[in-house]
Amino acid sequence: AILKSYQSDPYSDSKSNVLKKSTACFREGIAKDSLNPLNYVGLGMVELFRNNDTLKADAYFSKAFKLLPHKSSGALLLKRKKYNDVQIKALVKIQTAELYSATPRYYKSEELGKTILAICPENPEIYIANGDMLLAQNKASEAIAQYKKALYLRNDALTNVMVARIYYMARNTEEAKNYYQGALNVDSLFAPAYKGLGDVFYKERKIKQAKENYARFLELTGNNIPAKISYIKALYKAKDFEGTIDIANDILKVDSSKNYIYRLVAYSFADKDKPEYEKALEYLNKFMAKAKAEDILTKDYSYYSKIYLGLKRDSNDIRQGVEMLEKAYLADTTSAESLVELIKAAYSNRVYDIAIKYLSKKINGGDNTPGNYMLLGKGFYYNKEYSKSDSIFKIIVKKDSTYIDAYLWSAYSLSSLDPDLKEGLAKPAFEKLVDATSVNAEKYKKERFEAFSYLGSYYMFSKEADLNKAIDQIKKGLEVDNTNATWQLKGYYTLAFAYYKAKQWQNAKEAYETILKLKPDDTNAPKALKDINKYLTTQ
């Protein structure tokens, strides 16, 4: 029951806690009655649920089998009268135990199912177990056929509810309602049927009917705390976050010991259409203050991240948001999806040291695509570690000499190491970029314009200044795309300044006049032209 409850509600407890409680429960059962096979079956389920340890699980199942009636050959007897109810139940539990495994061995369950049917074909529990196994394999119609056989053998409220739940999971809400109503026809006071109807109406977004059925469910269960807890779980699953918050706060006023309710309230405030992140943070902090280490879910860290990155009150919030996502990943490092989410969040929120750390992990783990190297190189660049970024971009070029973006960012990195252009560190990189893009100059206009712009500036301001070479490079930049007004304006500004610096007054004048044609409201060109005209009139 503990394991099954956790599978249907992973919010109220952690997996480690559930495993401890279940193990303790089954071991206590063995201590009280070592001949009861159900406890050994339970321990086998725990091992499958823990980490899919089939060897340990099978060892426990073997102990359970030994407590069942056998032939001299060791095979199970096929005579119903030799089995008591507990032993039949143990067989059924072993059949469905594989449902607690990450990779169920359905063939084992099918073989055992045939044996159980031969022993007692009139037992409805067997058909329910067969239905569970088929449903786990996404064979919903076959599962329903088995459940209906169980219903034929035992038309009680509980079996009707079980069939209804299958239709509910299959999103056939009309049939689900029919069977929930069938349960009430058998027993009009059967509370789970009202809860089921509430769930169905929530799924159909019929809030009024949903609340009416849940009110009846609460009434029949004495309006007690466990029933209300069941209600808020349904509200949360139905994404009725306001309802979750209201009912949860009613519970907390009476009983604040159910710590995980603070979690659901926090999640609800964060998940609302208009999130209230400060309240979400308040409730999640309350949960964390009381939670033991084993109570904390990976999801808690994910929500902390969502809350902090939603608040973004300052850089500390952003940092904490990414670090919480890191904790979520570290709680389960097998999740490739979590790693990608962490890198994406770190990158988009400019927490580059964390982005670098996990991109490096990704690459070292074998995912060393040029794209991942580019992200890593850019991470170093944005983190102002320019030598490291340049080395990463050079690795890409070495792997793929046609990867133009890597040439460009290598040049950016070297340019950032030499911002005043005195050493010309980026000159060879931009020259390589020009060569690499010459084959497809039309495609790489932007890269070529940037390269010529840099080279023009280099020849103007470096220790090896050569204004004629500067002018030549700037003109090449202008020729890249004479229809791009932004590039033309930038190019003519640089060209005009180069002519001015070279004291080529007529050429400088023509360049500044071109600037005014491109940008009539420019304020700098008229001033420059005024100075140039003075020089021209004195010659």
Side-chain angles (χ1 to χ4, degrees):
I2 297 170
L3 293 174
K4 202 162 191 175
S5 174
Y6 176 78
Q7 285 184 316
S8 62
D9 171 30
Y11 301 103
S12 58
D13 211 342
S14 66
K15 183 176 179 179
S16 59
N17 260 356
V18 166
L19 289 168
K20 283 180 185 176
K21 290 175 186 176
S22 300
T23 302
C25 180
F26 294 129
R27 292 206 178 280
E28 185 181 346
I30 291 170
K32 289 181 178 178
D33 182 2
S34 62
L35 299 179
N36 187 329
L38 284 169
N39 293 305
Y40 298 104
V41 177
L43 288 173
M45 289 177 175
V46 168
E47 294 305 329
L48 290 176
F49 191 55
R50 188 193 309 280
N51 53 15
N52 203 31
D53 191 330
T54 54
L55 289 176
K56 284 186 180 179
D58 285 343
Y60 284 119
F61 295 151
S62 293
K63 286 183 179 181
F65 271 121
K66 287 176 183 176
L67 297 172
L68 303 174
H70 287 81
K71 298 178 183 178
S72 57
S73 63
L76 289 170
L77 280 173
L78 300 182
K79 294 180 179 179
R80 170 66 182 94
K81 62 183 180 179
K82 295 290 184 179
Y83 290 82
N84 60 39
D85 289 342
V86 170
Q87 290 169 333
I88 290 293
K89 191 171 184 180
L91 280 171
V92 172
K93 288 293 182 184
I94 294 171
Q95 182 191 358
T96 56
E98 292 296 332
L99 295 178
Y100 295 89
S101 167
T103 53
R105 298 167 295 177
Y106 295 119
Y107 68 93
K108 291 176 70 75
S109 297
E110 287 170 8
E111 289 173 8
L112 184 56
K114 291 173 185 176
T115 301
I116 302 171
L117 276 174
I119 293 169
C120 46
E122 302 302 314
N123 190 320
E125 298 293 337
I126 298 161
Y127 298 100
I128 290 170
N130 286 338
D132 289 347
M133 296 306 301
L134 289 164
L135 187 64
Q137 297 173 73
N138 296 316
K139 298 176 181 178
S141 58
E142 292 176 52
I144 286 172
Q146 291 294 311
Y147 289 126
K148 286 184 177 178
K149 283 183 182 179
L151 195 59
Y152 173 78
L153 292 167
R154 186 181 66 198
N155 185 18
D156 60 5
L158 178 60
T159 309
N160 272 280
V161 163
M162 293 183 77
V163 176
R165 283 174 181 165
I166 305 309
Y167 280 115
Y168 173 78
M169 286 188 286
R171 299 181 182 180
N172 188 336
T173 54
E174 287 306 313
E175 282 297 314
K177 283 188 282 190
N178 288 339
Y179 280 95
Y180 280 127
Q181 192 56 56
L184 293 174
N185 291 341
V186 176
D187 182 355
S188 63
L189 301 179
F190 194 64
Y194 289 103
K195 178 184 178 298
L197 283 169
D199 291 342
V200 171
F201 284 122
Y202 270 120
K203 181 168 275 192
E204 293 180 337
R205 308 305 299 163
K206 296 176 180 176
I207 306 301
K208 183 181 177 184
Q209 293 99 314
K211 289 186 175 180
E212 286 172 354
N213 278 280
Y214 256 100
R216 183 66 173 137
F217 165 67
L218 291 174
E219 180 187 344
L220 289 169
T221 52
N223 209 22
N224 55 34
I225 296 296
K228 284 189 173 182
I229 289 171
S230 180
Y231 187 21
I232 63 168
K233 289 173 185 174
L235 289 168
Y236 181 74
K237 286 179 183 177
K239 299 186 178 180
D240 183 350
F241 302 123
E242 292 289 359
T244 303
I245 292 164
D246 289 343
I247 302 298
N249 278 319
D250 283 347
I251 295 170
L252 292 171
K253 286 174 188 175
V254 179
D255 183 359
S256 60
S257 66
K258 304 294 187 292
N259 193 35
Y260 65 88
I261 295 176
Y262 288 106
R263 169 193 281 145
L264 281 181
V265 177
Y267 288 8
S268 297
F269 274 122
D271 286 337
K272 288 172 61 177
D273 289 338
K274 293 182 179 179
E276 295 183 62
Y277 290 121
E278 288 192 359
K279 287 183 179 177
L281 182 59
E282 175 191 343
Y283 276 89
L284 197 49
N285 282 340
K286 284 180 178 179
F287 166 76
M288 284 293 196
K290 293 182 180 179
K292 296 175 184 176
E294 60 266 26
D295 297 329
I296 298 170
L297 307 177
T298 303
K299 213 174 184 74
D300 296 327
Y301 295 123
S302 297
Y303 267 89
Y304 256 134
S305 175
K306 180 177 181 177
I307 291 163
Y308 279 122
L309 293 178
L311 285 170
K312 283 190 179 178
R313 296 167 297 192
D314 51 34
S315 59
N316 187 54
D317 275 352
I318 293 170
R319 181 85 196 179
Q320 285 205 67
V322 174
E323 286 178 351
M324 285 296 176
L325 209 52
E326 182 182 22
K327 283 188 176 183
Y329 167 68
L330 291 174
D332 180 11
T333 55
T334 62
S335 173
E337 186 180 331
S338 294
L339 180 58
V340 170
E341 186 183 358
L342 170 58
I343 292 168
K344 185 178 178 181
Y347 223 97
S348 61
N349 288 286
R350 302 180 183 181
V351 186
Y352 294 117
D353 59 322
I354 291 180
I356 289 165
K357 179 180 177 181
Y358 288 98
L359 275 164
S360 299
K361 179 181 174 69
K362 210 167 189 282
I363 289 168
N364 293 334
D367 196 357
N368 54 356
T369 62
N372 282 337
Y373 270 115
M374 278 301 298
L375 284 174
L376 179 60
K378 287 180 181 180
F380 279 124
Y381 179 86
Y382 292 132
N383 212 39
K384 300 183 179 180
E385 298 179 75
Y386 302 121
S387 294
K388 290 181 179 178
S389 64
D390 176 52
S391 67
I392 296 298
F393 297 128
K394 281 183 167 63
I395 289 172
I396 300 171
V397 170
K398 192 173 181 181
K399 284 174 171 283
D400 182 358
S401 61
T402 66
Y403 207 107
I404 300 303
D405 227 19
Y407 287 99
L408 178 63
W409 281 86
S410 175
Y412 285 164
S413 301
L414 293 166
S415 183
S416 296
L417 286 169
D418 180 28
D420 58 5
L421 307 174
K422 295 299 181 187
E423 301 300 321
L425 294 181
K427 178 176 176 285
F430 277 113
E431 288 173 338
K432 285 180 182 177
L433 180 61
V434 171
D435 290 340
T437 56
S438 60
V439 179
N440 199 345
E442 188 66 22
K443 180 179 178 180
Y444 296 110
K445 288 180 181 179
K446 175 182 177 293
E447 291 79 3
R448 291 177 68 79
F449 178 77
E450 291 200 36
F452 289 128
S453 295
Y454 171 87
L455 292 168
S457 297
Y458 166 76
Y459 283 118
M460 269 200 288
F461 301 112
S462 71
K463 291 187 292 187
E464 300 176 5
D466 185 327
L467 291 173
N468 288 329
K469 286 184 177 179
I471 290 165
D472 180 56
Q473 295 296 323
I474 296 163
K475 284 182 176 178
K476 286 180 180 178
L478 285 166
E479 291 167 5
V480 166
D481 186 351
N482 58 18
T483 65
N484 189 311
T486 302
W487 293 356
Q488 289 290 300
L489 188 61
K490 181 181 177 182
Y492 272 105
Y493 259 123
T494 314
L495 182 63
F497 184 77
Y499 280 137
Y500 191 100
K501 194 172 182 181
K503 297 182 180 179
Q504 296 183 29
W505 307 119
Q506 188 58 41
N507 288 336
K509 180 181 179 181
E510 290 173 6
Y512 278 115
E513 286 172 345
T514 302
I515 289 170
L516 283 173
K517 287 178 184 176
L518 292 167
K519 188 183 177 186
D521 61 345
D522 187 84
T523 56
N524 294 314
K527 294 176 185 177
L529 283 169
K530 188 176 180 181
D531 289 340
I532 291 168
N533 285 327
K534 284 181 184 178
Y535 287 118
L536 288 172
T537 55
T538 57
Q539 288 182 347

